[in-house]
Amino acid sequence: MSYQSARSNLLAAPAIAWLVVFMVAPCLLILSYAFFERGVWGGIEYTVTLENFARVVDPLYAKIFLTSARIAGLATLLAILIAYPAAYAISRAPRLRQPMLLFFAVLPFWSNYLIRTYAWMVLLNREGLINNLLRWFGYQGEPLSLLYTESAVIIGLVYNYLPFVILAIYSSLSRLNPELMEASRDLGGGPIRTFWRVTLPLTLPGVAAGGVFVFVLSIGNFVTPALLGGGRFQMIGNVVYDQFLSANDWPFGAALGLVLIAIMILLLMLQARATAHASGERARVEP
Amino acid sequence: MLAGSLGAAHAADLVISNWDGYMAKDIAETFKAATGLEIEVVNHATNEEIMGKLMASQGKGYDIVFVSSPFAEILNHQSLVEPLDKAAIPNLSNLYPEAASLAYDPGNAYSVPYTWGTTGLCYRSDLVKTVPDSWMNLLAPSDDIKGKTTMLATDRWLMAAGELAKGYSVNETDPAKIAEVKDLLIAAKKTLLAYDDTTFYSKLVSAEASLVHAWDGWCNYGITENKDIKFVVPKEGSDLWVDTIVVMKGSEKKDAAMKFINFILDPTNHAWAAQNILYKVPNKAAMESLDKALIEQYPNMGMTPAELTKYELLRDLGAAQKDYSRAVSEIKASN
């Protein structure tokens, strides 16, 4: 080991020790519960079993996994569709103004997630701001049921994770070499063609990073479906939450959590591969 | 200031875990004035949260814990709670006789009931066409209140509504009956606005909902804000919920713990809960000391112990908990 790498290992040691003690070890401990039985009076009975995994593949939970994936997928798609133009606009704004625009994009993060979610409840409920505005504009019918719907859950997820996607896409847009666009123009490419053939492919790693972020955070989310879905939409995060905090069935909750983690790791690996692939492309374009 | 509070934390004679706002804010001062003992109050948000902590630490770190009766029962089965030293708690005699013979702990061997009540229907009398009197008013609502009802999200109470409607025990463990209840609740879901066990009374106040599944004490919070809100126990009955106080076996300050329980059972101190959180307390002297206006404003405060103890207590389900939890997942995942 060279002196250089020995020193950097030494410097990283406190952080790694911290992560191992407070993050890796507790997580592994909880996940190990998946292989034990629920005690009749709650808690863990240390008898090794695979029954919890047998319960996970029950069609009921498969259906809940699929629902969660669909909701998270829609949220991801919407977030990208909104974030891309926003990130593009910020990256094209005068350089001096960009930090301020980014600041506004992340500003909502300065308030608590729960408060922001409750704010959506105030907006969407039957006696809420939107319905009151409609009435003010002369709408006479029954108030619209906007809250406690799947759309409300998706809106909440998109809203809460949008800044992550904007930042991820912005960072890959701002690293784009402007000469590539010029080259495309010189070779006769119009703005649309330049976007499709040059800008978009080269910023896909940013899109993938942002997208995986939203998807991973959404699929395990339990606060948004509980509050904006009124508990009528069960996502896998809610089932895990219920197992730990209501059914007192930690082993089964741990087994569901393991599956969720496996899905996330798979997605992150795919994203890493996509990024590696794209940087290979970039290497070919940027001599 | 900092040194003072750190010193107090180390010097505390008792560590008590309770729900936020469930005791008088100045309890540490009044208890110290009465006994010279220091207490440190920590909060838990739910039974499950404190149970998780107690299971993980085998009960170490806390002297006194407030939990609902099925959890006190679990703690007792796990041998984590200390039998009460009755000689040190003369104020036990303030309890109603009914409160000393509850099925999970007859004779208050290891727990003292702190508050008790029922689960029923809370509604806006100005918004419903017919006055509800049955669980079916909630589970199969008339057209005028469809989409304007909520049910409690917590699995035991959610299931209890269906069980009571069908005339079954709230601790039913027969899989066939659980399945029937599940089907009834899946059908009811189509008419629900939401599952809600934290803001249901404010939904009534804002008129978002007209009829909600509610704990009586929480319905009182709605009544405080709107006098058209009323509470009814459906004709098929209710469960009887009890929040209890237990002393941990691992406590090294058991004498002080018994003193604290005696202090809480003092009529003035126990009446605090009725006056401030609007829950009935099982303390005869405390209930008799209440201002009659309170009971006029919140009629469910006037339910007698005899009326309350007609209802069945939620008990720990043991192995059948799995069936409940699967049924509830199925209900909530249905569409």
Side-chain angles (χ1 to χ4, degrees), chain B residues 44-79:
Chain B
H44 53 258
T46 60
N47 281 306
E48 290 78 8
E49 181 192 332
I50 185 67
M51 289 298 282
K53 289 184 188 170
L54 294 174
M55 294 292 174
S57 70
Q58 283 301 297
K60 295 266 173 350
Y62 298 95
D63 299 291
I64 289 182
V65 172
F66 285 66
V67 282
S68 301
S69 64
F71 297 90
E73 201 178 354
I74 294 174
L75 289 172
N76 183 46
H77 276 97
Q78 300 273 23
S79 307

PDB file of all heavy atoms in Angstrom, chain B residues 44-79:
ATOM      1  N   HIS B  44     -43.444   9.045  24.489  1.00  0.00           N
ATOM      2  CA  HIS B  44     -43.504   8.132  23.348  1.00  0.00           C
ATOM      3  C   HIS B  44     -44.752   8.491  22.556  1.00  0.00           C
ATOM      4  O   HIS B  44     -45.744   8.971  23.117  1.00  0.00           O
ATOM      5  CB  HIS B  44     -43.489   6.658  23.770  1.00  0.00           C
ATOM      6  CG  HIS B  44     -44.530   6.252  24.781  1.00  0.00           C
ATOM      7  ND1 HIS B  44     -44.245   6.082  26.117  1.00  0.00           N
ATOM      8  CD2 HIS B  44     -45.850   5.977  24.640  1.00  0.00           C
ATOM      9  CE1 HIS B  44     -45.351   5.707  26.757  1.00  0.00           C
ATOM     10  NE2 HIS B  44     -46.340   5.646  25.897  1.00  0.00           N
ATOM     11  N   ALA B  45     -44.675   8.280  21.237  1.00  0.00           N
ATOM     12  CA  ALA B  45     -45.810   8.666  20.394  1.00  0.00           C
ATOM     13  C   ALA B  45     -46.859   7.558  20.367  1.00  0.00           C
ATOM     14  O   ALA B  45     -48.047   7.826  20.292  1.00  0.00           O
ATOM     15  CB  ALA B  45     -45.337   8.974  18.977  1.00  0.00           C
ATOM     16  N   THR B  46     -46.407   6.312  20.421  1.00  0.00           N
ATOM     17  CA  THR B  46     -47.355   5.195  20.313  1.00  0.00           C
ATOM     18  C   THR B  46     -46.948   4.090  21.281  1.00  0.00           C
ATOM     19  O   THR B  46     -45.799   4.017  21.718  1.00  0.00           O
ATOM     20  CB  THR B  46     -47.331   4.576  18.894  1.00  0.00           C
ATOM     21  OG1 THR B  46     -46.003   4.099  18.640  1.00  0.00           O
ATOM     22  CG2 THR B  46     -47.714   5.578  17.828  1.00  0.00           C
ATOM     23  N   ASN B  47     -47.903   3.214  21.559  1.00  0.00           N
ATOM     24  CA  ASN B  47     -47.620   2.021  22.354  1.00  0.00           C
ATOM     25  C   ASN B  47     -46.483   1.228  21.734  1.00  0.00           C
ATOM     26  O   ASN B  47     -45.593   0.750  22.422  1.00  0.00           O
ATOM     27  CB  ASN B  47     -48.854   1.104  22.363  1.00  0.00           C
ATOM     28  CG  ASN B  47     -49.908   1.565  23.337  1.00  0.00           C
ATOM     29  OD1 ASN B  47     -49.627   1.763  24.514  1.00  0.00           O
ATOM     30  ND2 ASN B  47     -51.124   1.735  22.853  1.00  0.00           N
ATOM     31  N   GLU B  48     -46.561   1.084  20.405  1.00  0.00           N
ATOM     32  CA  GLU B  48     -45.592   0.232  19.711  1.00  0.00           C
ATOM     33  C   GLU B  48     -44.181   0.780  19.860  1.00  0.00           C
ATOM     34  O   GLU B  48     -43.224   0.029  19.969  1.00  0.00           O
ATOM     35  CB  GLU B  48     -45.969   0.110  18.235  1.00  0.00           C
ATOM     36  CG  GLU B  48     -47.229  -0.713  17.973  1.00  0.00           C
ATOM     37  CD  GLU B  48     -48.528   0.032  18.240  1.00  0.00           C
ATOM     38  OE1 GLU B  48     -48.490   1.251  18.484  1.00  0.00           O
ATOM     39  OE2 GLU B  48     -49.594  -0.625  18.203  1.00  0.00           O
ATOM     40  N   GLU B  49     -44.076   2.112  19.868  1.00  0.00           N
ATOM     41  CA  GLU B  49     -42.753   2.719  19.985  1.00  0.00           C
ATOM     42  C   GLU B  49     -42.126   2.375  21.344  1.00  0.00           C
ATOM     43  O   GLU B  49     -40.984   1.922  21.415  1.00  0.00           O
ATOM     44  CB  GLU B  49     -42.885   4.236  19.828  1.00  0.00           C
ATOM     45  CG  GLU B  49     -41.554   4.950  19.923  1.00  0.00           C
ATOM     46  CD  GLU B  49     -41.722   6.462  20.062  1.00  0.00           C
ATOM     47  OE1 GLU B  49     -42.737   7.006  19.588  1.00  0.00           O
ATOM     48  OE2 GLU B  49     -40.830   7.072  20.664  1.00  0.00           O
ATOM     49  N   ILE B  50     -42.886   2.559  22.416  1.00  0.00           N
ATOM     50  CA  ILE B  50     -42.315   2.279  23.738  1.00  0.00           C
ATOM     51  C   ILE B  50     -42.098   0.780  23.917  1.00  0.00           C
ATOM     52  O   ILE B  50     -41.131   0.342  24.538  1.00  0.00           O
ATOM     53  CB  ILE B  50     -43.175   2.902  24.879  1.00  0.00           C
ATOM     54  CG1 ILE B  50     -42.501   2.710  26.233  1.00  0.00           C
ATOM     55  CG2 ILE B  50     -44.573   2.335  24.928  1.00  0.00           C
ATOM     56  CD1 ILE B  50     -41.210   3.466  26.412  1.00  0.00           C
ATOM     57  N   MET B  51     -42.995  -0.033  23.319  1.00  0.00           N
ATOM     58  CA  MET B  51     -42.819  -1.491  23.412  1.00  0.00           C
ATOM     59  C   MET B  51     -41.519  -1.907  22.740  1.00  0.00           C
ATOM     60  O   MET B  51     -40.787  -2.750  23.264  1.00  0.00           O
ATOM     61  CB  MET B  51     -43.993  -2.217  22.751  1.00  0.00           C
ATOM     62  CG  MET B  51     -45.282  -2.121  23.512  1.00  0.00           C
ATOM     63  SD  MET B  51     -45.226  -2.868  25.153  1.00  0.00           S
ATOM     64  CE  MET B  51     -45.357  -4.602  24.738  1.00  0.00           C
ATOM     65  N   GLY B  52     -41.238  -1.311  21.579  1.00  0.00           N
ATOM     66  CA  GLY B  52     -39.998  -1.621  20.877  1.00  0.00           C
ATOM     67  C   GLY B  52     -38.797  -1.337  21.768  1.00  0.00           C
ATOM     68  O   GLY B  52     -37.886  -2.151  21.888  1.00  0.00           O
ATOM     69  N   LYS B  53     -38.830  -0.172  22.440  1.00  0.00           N
ATOM     70  CA  LYS B  53     -37.715   0.200  23.310  1.00  0.00           C
ATOM     71  C   LYS B  53     -37.608  -0.760  24.489  1.00  0.00           C
ATOM     72  O   LYS B  53     -36.510  -1.179  24.872  1.00  0.00           O
ATOM     73  CB  LYS B  53     -37.910   1.621  23.846  1.00  0.00           C
ATOM     74  CG  LYS B  53     -37.727   2.691  22.791  1.00  0.00           C
ATOM     75  CD  LYS B  53     -37.852   4.061  23.444  1.00  0.00           C
ATOM     76  CE  LYS B  53     -37.883   5.171  22.409  1.00  0.00           C
ATOM     77  NZ  LYS B  53     -38.241   6.449  23.012  1.00  0.00           N
ATOM     78  N   LEU B  54     -38.753  -1.097  25.081  1.00  0.00           N
ATOM     79  CA  LEU B  54     -38.723  -1.961  26.265  1.00  0.00           C
ATOM     80  C   LEU B  54     -38.267  -3.373  25.920  1.00  0.00           C
ATOM     81  O   LEU B  54     -37.523  -4.001  26.672  1.00  0.00           O
ATOM     82  CB  LEU B  54     -40.103  -2.005  26.931  1.00  0.00           C
ATOM     83  CG  LEU B  54     -40.585  -0.681  27.534  1.00  0.00           C
ATOM     84  CD1 LEU B  54     -42.020  -0.822  28.034  1.00  0.00           C
ATOM     85  CD2 LEU B  54     -39.678  -0.237  28.665  1.00  0.00           C
ATOM     86  N   MET B  55     -38.712  -3.861  24.737  1.00  0.00           N
ATOM     87  CA  MET B  55     -38.310  -5.209  24.327  1.00  0.00           C
ATOM     88  C   MET B  55     -36.807  -5.243  24.060  1.00  0.00           C
ATOM     89  O   MET B  55     -36.125  -6.203  24.389  1.00  0.00           O
ATOM     90  CB  MET B  55     -39.062  -5.637  23.057  1.00  0.00           C
ATOM     91  CG  MET B  55     -40.544  -5.815  23.264  1.00  0.00           C
ATOM     92  SD  MET B  55     -40.902  -7.228  24.330  1.00  0.00           S
ATOM     93  CE  MET B  55     -42.656  -7.071  24.534  1.00  0.00           C
ATOM     94  N   ALA B  56     -36.311  -4.168  23.430  1.00  0.00           N
ATOM     95  CA  ALA B  56     -34.896  -4.140  23.064  1.00  0.00           C
ATOM     96  C   ALA B  56     -34.011  -4.058  24.309  1.00  0.00           C
ATOM     97  O   ALA B  56     -32.924  -4.622  24.341  1.00  0.00           O
ATOM     98  CB  ALA B  56     -34.622  -2.981  22.124  1.00  0.00           C
ATOM     99  N   SER B  57     -34.497  -3.342  25.349  1.00  0.00           N
ATOM    100  CA  SER B  57     -33.633  -3.138  26.520  1.00  0.00           C
ATOM    101  C   SER B  57     -34.044  -4.027  27.683  1.00  0.00           C
ATOM    102  O   SER B  57     -33.524  -3.881  28.788  1.00  0.00           O
ATOM    103  CB  SER B  57     -33.726  -1.676  26.950  1.00  0.00           C
ATOM    104  OG  SER B  57     -35.009  -1.425  27.501  1.00  0.00           O
ATOM    105  N   GLN B  58     -34.976  -4.949  27.426  1.00  0.00           N
ATOM    106  CA  GLN B  58     -35.516  -5.784  28.504  1.00  0.00           C
ATOM    107  C   GLN B  58     -36.012  -4.924  29.676  1.00  0.00           C
ATOM    108  O   GLN B  58     -35.869  -5.285  30.834  1.00  0.00           O
ATOM    109  CB  GLN B  58     -34.480  -6.813  28.967  1.00  0.00           C
ATOM    110  CG  GLN B  58     -34.343  -7.990  27.995  1.00  0.00           C
ATOM    111  CD  GLN B  58     -35.669  -8.726  27.797  1.00  0.00           C
ATOM    112  OE1 GLN B  58     -36.223  -9.300  28.721  1.00  0.00           O
ATOM    113  NE2 GLN B  58     -36.210  -8.699  26.579  1.00  0.00           N
ATOM    114  N   GLY B  59     -36.583  -3.777  29.339  1.00  0.00           N
ATOM    115  CA  GLY B  59     -37.228  -2.956  30.350  1.00  0.00           C
ATOM    116  C   GLY B  59     -36.301  -2.048  31.125  1.00  0.00           C
ATOM    117  O   GLY B  59     -36.741  -1.344  32.031  1.00  0.00           O
ATOM    118  N   LYS B  60     -35.006  -2.062  30.785  1.00  0.00           N
ATOM    119  CA  LYS B  60     -34.068  -1.201  31.520  1.00  0.00           C
ATOM    120  C   LYS B  60     -34.209   0.254  31.066  1.00  0.00           C
ATOM    121  O   LYS B  60     -34.546   0.519  29.921  1.00  0.00           O
ATOM    122  CB  LYS B  60     -32.628  -1.657  31.265  1.00  0.00           C
ATOM    123  CG  LYS B  60     -32.303  -3.045  31.805  1.00  0.00           C
ATOM    124  CD  LYS B  60     -31.705  -2.962  33.190  1.00  0.00           C
ATOM    125  CE  LYS B  60     -31.496  -4.286  33.883  1.00  0.00           C
ATOM    126  NZ  LYS B  60     -32.055  -5.482  33.326  1.00  0.00           N
ATOM    127  N   GLY B  61     -33.949   1.178  31.974  1.00  0.00           N
ATOM    128  CA  GLY B  61     -33.923   2.587  31.575  1.00  0.00           C
ATOM    129  C   GLY B  61     -35.199   3.342  31.917  1.00  0.00           C
ATOM    130  O   GLY B  61     -35.232   4.557  31.849  1.00  0.00           O
ATOM    131  N   TYR B  62     -36.261   2.637  32.249  1.00  0.00           N
ATOM    132  CA  TYR B  62     -37.508   3.299  32.619  1.00  0.00           C
ATOM    133  C   TYR B  62     -37.981   2.746  33.952  1.00  0.00           C
ATOM    134  O   TYR B  62     -37.802   1.557  34.232  1.00  0.00           O
ATOM    135  CB  TYR B  62     -38.600   3.038  31.574  1.00  0.00           C
ATOM    136  CG  TYR B  62     -38.268   3.578  30.215  1.00  0.00           C
ATOM    137  CD1 TYR B  62     -37.681   2.767  29.256  1.00  0.00           C
ATOM    138  CD2 TYR B  62     -38.521   4.899  29.906  1.00  0.00           C
ATOM    139  CE1 TYR B  62     -37.356   3.264  28.010  1.00  0.00           C
ATOM    140  CE2 TYR B  62     -38.203   5.414  28.661  1.00  0.00           C
ATOM    141  CZ  TYR B  62     -37.621   4.585  27.718  1.00  0.00           C
ATOM    142  OH  TYR B  62     -37.298   5.084  26.497  1.00  0.00           O
ATOM    143  N   ASP B  63     -38.600   3.613  34.748  1.00  0.00           N
ATOM    144  CA  ASP B  63     -39.173   3.139  36.005  1.00  0.00           C
ATOM    145  C   ASP B  63     -40.673   2.934  35.864  1.00  0.00           C
ATOM    146  O   ASP B  63     -41.226   1.948  36.321  1.00  0.00           O
ATOM    147  CB  ASP B  63     -38.873   4.148  37.121  1.00  0.00           C
ATOM    148  CG  ASP B  63     -37.385   4.316  37.318  1.00  0.00           C
ATOM    149  OD1 ASP B  63     -36.746   3.370  37.797  1.00  0.00           O
ATOM    150  OD2 ASP B  63     -36.847   5.379  36.946  1.00  0.00           O
ATOM    151  N   ILE B  64     -41.326   3.922  35.208  1.00  0.00           N
ATOM    152  CA  ILE B  64     -42.773   3.861  35.061  1.00  0.00           C
ATOM    153  C   ILE B  64     -43.115   4.089  33.602  1.00  0.00           C
ATOM    154  O   ILE B  64     -42.522   4.946  32.943  1.00  0.00           O
ATOM    155  CB  ILE B  64     -43.445   4.943  35.924  1.00  0.00           C
ATOM    156  CG1 ILE B  64     -43.316   4.553  37.394  1.00  0.00           C
ATOM    157  CG2 ILE B  64     -44.902   5.152  35.542  1.00  0.00           C
ATOM    158  CD1 ILE B  64     -43.977   5.519  38.336  1.00  0.00           C
ATOM    159  N   VAL B  65     -44.071   3.288  33.097  1.00  0.00           N
ATOM    160  CA  VAL B  65     -44.453   3.430  31.698  1.00  0.00           C
ATOM    161  C   VAL B  65     -45.977   3.461  31.602  1.00  0.00           C
ATOM    162  O   VAL B  65     -46.667   2.715  32.297  1.00  0.00           O
ATOM    163  CB  VAL B  65     -43.871   2.256  30.871  1.00  0.00           C
ATOM    164  CG1 VAL B  65     -44.420   2.279  29.468  1.00  0.00           C
ATOM    165  CG2 VAL B  65     -42.344   2.320  30.843  1.00  0.00           C
ATOM    166  N   PHE B  66     -46.490   4.360  30.750  1.00  0.00           N
ATOM    167  CA  PHE B  66     -47.917   4.415  30.447  1.00  0.00           C
ATOM    168  C   PHE B  66     -48.139   3.659  29.132  1.00  0.00           C
ATOM    169  O   PHE B  66     -47.543   4.028  28.117  1.00  0.00           O
ATOM    170  CB  PHE B  66     -48.380   5.869  30.273  1.00  0.00           C
ATOM    171  CG  PHE B  66     -48.510   6.641  31.564  1.00  0.00           C
ATOM    172  CD1 PHE B  66     -47.398   6.929  32.334  1.00  0.00           C
ATOM    173  CD2 PHE B  66     -49.757   7.098  31.995  1.00  0.00           C
ATOM    174  CE1 PHE B  66     -47.507   7.660  33.521  1.00  0.00           C
ATOM    175  CE2 PHE B  66     -49.890   7.829  33.174  1.00  0.00           C
ATOM    176  CZ  PHE B  66     -48.765   8.103  33.942  1.00  0.00           C
ATOM    177  N   VAL B  67     -48.944   2.613  29.169  1.00  0.00           N
ATOM    178  CA  VAL B  67     -49.272   1.875  27.936  1.00  0.00           C
ATOM    179  C   VAL B  67     -50.742   1.447  27.974  1.00  0.00           C
ATOM    180  O   VAL B  67     -51.343   1.376  29.048  1.00  0.00           O
ATOM    181  CB  VAL B  67     -48.429   0.583  27.760  1.00  0.00           C
ATOM    182  CG1 VAL B  67     -47.030   0.881  27.262  1.00  0.00           C
ATOM    183  CG2 VAL B  67     -48.409  -0.254  29.018  1.00  0.00           C
ATOM    184  N   SER B  68     -51.293   1.127  26.786  1.00  0.00           N
ATOM    185  CA  SER B  68     -52.673   0.631  26.739  1.00  0.00           C
ATOM    186  C   SER B  68     -52.716  -0.808  27.238  1.00  0.00           C
ATOM    187  O   SER B  68     -51.713  -1.518  27.206  1.00  0.00           O
ATOM    188  CB  SER B  68     -53.205   0.712  25.306  1.00  0.00           C
ATOM    189  OG  SER B  68     -53.147   2.048  24.882  1.00  0.00           O
ATOM    190  N   SER B  69     -53.920  -1.223  27.666  1.00  0.00           N
ATOM    191  CA  SER B  69     -54.012  -2.486  28.405  1.00  0.00           C
ATOM    192  C   SER B  69     -53.452  -3.721  27.681  1.00  0.00           C
ATOM    193  O   SER B  69     -52.783  -4.527  28.335  1.00  0.00           O
ATOM    194  CB  SER B  69     -55.444  -2.724  28.875  1.00  0.00           C
ATOM    195  OG  SER B  69     -56.305  -2.876  27.782  1.00  0.00           O
ATOM    196  N   PRO B  70     -53.685  -3.916  26.361  1.00  0.00           N
ATOM    197  CA  PRO B  70     -53.116  -5.145  25.769  1.00  0.00           C
ATOM    198  C   PRO B  70     -51.594  -5.179  25.879  1.00  0.00           C
ATOM    199  O   PRO B  70     -50.992  -6.251  25.982  1.00  0.00           O
ATOM    200  CB  PRO B  70     -53.534  -5.073  24.298  1.00  0.00           C
ATOM    201  CG  PRO B  70     -54.635  -4.082  24.235  1.00  0.00           C
ATOM    202  CD  PRO B  70     -54.428  -3.130  25.368  1.00  0.00           C
ATOM    203  N   PHE B  71     -50.974  -3.992  25.903  1.00  0.00           N
ATOM    204  CA  PHE B  71     -49.510  -3.939  25.971  1.00  0.00           C
ATOM    205  C   PHE B  71     -49.028  -4.173  27.405  1.00  0.00           C
ATOM    206  O   PHE B  71     -47.995  -4.790  27.621  1.00  0.00           O
ATOM    207  CB  PHE B  71     -49.010  -2.612  25.405  1.00  0.00           C
ATOM    208  CG  PHE B  71     -49.366  -2.463  23.956  1.00  0.00           C
ATOM    209  CD1 PHE B  71     -50.564  -1.883  23.576  1.00  0.00           C
ATOM    210  CD2 PHE B  71     -48.529  -2.960  22.973  1.00  0.00           C
ATOM    211  CE1 PHE B  71     -50.916  -1.785  22.243  1.00  0.00           C
ATOM    212  CE2 PHE B  71     -48.866  -2.867  21.637  1.00  0.00           C
ATOM    213  CZ  PHE B  71     -50.066  -2.275  21.277  1.00  0.00           C
ATOM    214  N   ALA B  72     -49.801  -3.684  28.373  1.00  0.00           N
ATOM    215  CA  ALA B  72     -49.478  -3.981  29.770  1.00  0.00           C
ATOM    216  C   ALA B  72     -49.525  -5.491  29.961  1.00  0.00           C
ATOM    217  O   ALA B  72     -48.681  -6.090  30.640  1.00  0.00           O
ATOM    218  CB  ALA B  72     -50.479  -3.291  30.684  1.00  0.00           C
ATOM    219  N   GLU B  73     -50.522  -6.115  29.308  1.00  0.00           N
ATOM    220  CA  GLU B  73     -50.684  -7.561  29.407  1.00  0.00           C
ATOM    221  C   GLU B  73     -49.458  -8.276  28.809  1.00  0.00           C
ATOM    222  O   GLU B  73     -48.947  -9.237  29.383  1.00  0.00           O
ATOM    223  CB  GLU B  73     -51.955  -7.930  28.627  1.00  0.00           C
ATOM    224  CG  GLU B  73     -52.549  -9.243  29.006  1.00  0.00           C
ATOM    225  CD  GLU B  73     -53.840  -9.513  28.228  1.00  0.00           C
ATOM    226  OE1 GLU B  73     -54.339  -8.637  27.483  1.00  0.00           O
ATOM    227  OE2 GLU B  73     -54.344 -10.645  28.356  1.00  0.00           O
ATOM    228  N   ILE B  74     -48.984  -7.779  27.674  1.00  0.00           N
ATOM    229  CA  ILE B  74     -47.797  -8.379  27.049  1.00  0.00           C
ATOM    230  C   ILE B  74     -46.589  -8.224  27.975  1.00  0.00           C
ATOM    231  O   ILE B  74     -45.853  -9.181  28.213  1.00  0.00           O
ATOM    232  CB  ILE B  74     -47.493  -7.707  25.689  1.00  0.00           C
ATOM    233  CG1 ILE B  74     -48.601  -8.013  24.692  1.00  0.00           C
ATOM    234  CG2 ILE B  74     -46.146  -8.180  25.145  1.00  0.00           C
ATOM    235  CD1 ILE B  74     -48.462  -7.290  23.369  1.00  0.00           C
ATOM    236  N   LEU B  75     -46.424  -7.022  28.519  1.00  0.00           N
ATOM    237  CA  LEU B  75     -45.279  -6.781  29.411  1.00  0.00           C
ATOM    238  C   LEU B  75     -45.329  -7.721  30.612  1.00  0.00           C
ATOM    239  O   LEU B  75     -44.308  -8.233  31.069  1.00  0.00           O
ATOM    240  CB  LEU B  75     -45.263  -5.325  29.883  1.00  0.00           C
ATOM    241  CG  LEU B  75     -44.903  -4.292  28.815  1.00  0.00           C
ATOM    242  CD1 LEU B  75     -45.100  -2.875  29.344  1.00  0.00           C
ATOM    243  CD2 LEU B  75     -43.462  -4.480  28.343  1.00  0.00           C
ATOM    244  N   ASN B  76     -46.537  -7.980  31.091  1.00  0.00           N
ATOM    245  CA  ASN B  76     -46.683  -8.891  32.217  1.00  0.00           C
ATOM    246  C   ASN B  76     -46.301 -10.316  31.812  1.00  0.00           C
ATOM    247  O   ASN B  76     -45.599 -11.007  32.539  1.00  0.00           O
ATOM    248  CB  ASN B  76     -48.120  -8.836  32.740  1.00  0.00           C
ATOM    249  CG  ASN B  76     -48.316  -9.723  33.957  1.00  0.00           C
ATOM    250  OD1 ASN B  76     -47.497  -9.696  34.870  1.00  0.00           O
ATOM    251  ND2 ASN B  76     -49.370 -10.521  33.953  1.00  0.00           N
ATOM    252  N   HIS B  77     -46.736 -10.728  30.611  1.00  0.00           N
ATOM    253  CA  HIS B  77     -46.377 -12.080  30.154  1.00  0.00           C
ATOM    254  C   HIS B  77     -44.881 -12.214  29.935  1.00  0.00           C
ATOM    255  O   HIS B  77     -44.333 -13.304  30.018  1.00  0.00           O
ATOM    256  CB  HIS B  77     -47.117 -12.413  28.854  1.00  0.00           C
ATOM    257  CG  HIS B  77     -48.493 -12.917  29.097  1.00  0.00           C
ATOM    258  ND1 HIS B  77     -49.603 -12.110  29.036  1.00  0.00           N
ATOM    259  CD2 HIS B  77     -48.941 -14.155  29.431  1.00  0.00           C
ATOM    260  CE1 HIS B  77     -50.678 -12.824  29.319  1.00  0.00           C
ATOM    261  NE2 HIS B  77     -50.304 -14.064  29.562  1.00  0.00           N
ATOM    262  N   GLN B  78     -44.230 -11.094  29.610  1.00  0.00           N
ATOM    263  CA  GLN B  78     -42.780 -11.126  29.404  1.00  0.00           C
ATOM    264  C   GLN B  78     -42.038 -10.989  30.739  1.00  0.00           C
ATOM    265  O   GLN B  78     -40.812 -10.890  30.740  1.00  0.00           O
ATOM    266  CB  GLN B  78     -42.344  -9.973  28.491  1.00  0.00           C
ATOM    267  CG  GLN B  78     -42.974  -9.998  27.133  1.00  0.00           C
ATOM    268  CD  GLN B  78     -42.182 -10.842  26.150  1.00  0.00           C
ATOM    269  OE1 GLN B  78     -41.434 -11.720  26.547  1.00  0.00           O
ATOM    270  NE2 GLN B  78     -42.350 -10.592  24.870  1.00  0.00           N
ATOM    271  N   SER B  79     -42.783 -10.931  31.842  1.00  0.00           N
ATOM    272  CA  SER B  79     -42.211 -10.738  33.182  1.00  0.00           C
ATOM    273  C   SER B  79     -41.370  -9.481  33.269  1.00  0.00           C
ATOM    274  O   SER B  79     -40.312  -9.469  33.884  1.00  0.00           O
ATOM    275  CB  SER B  79     -41.349 -11.939  33.607  1.00  0.00           C
ATOM    276  OG  SER B  79     -42.084 -13.101  33.484  1.00  0.00           O
TER     277      SER B  79
END
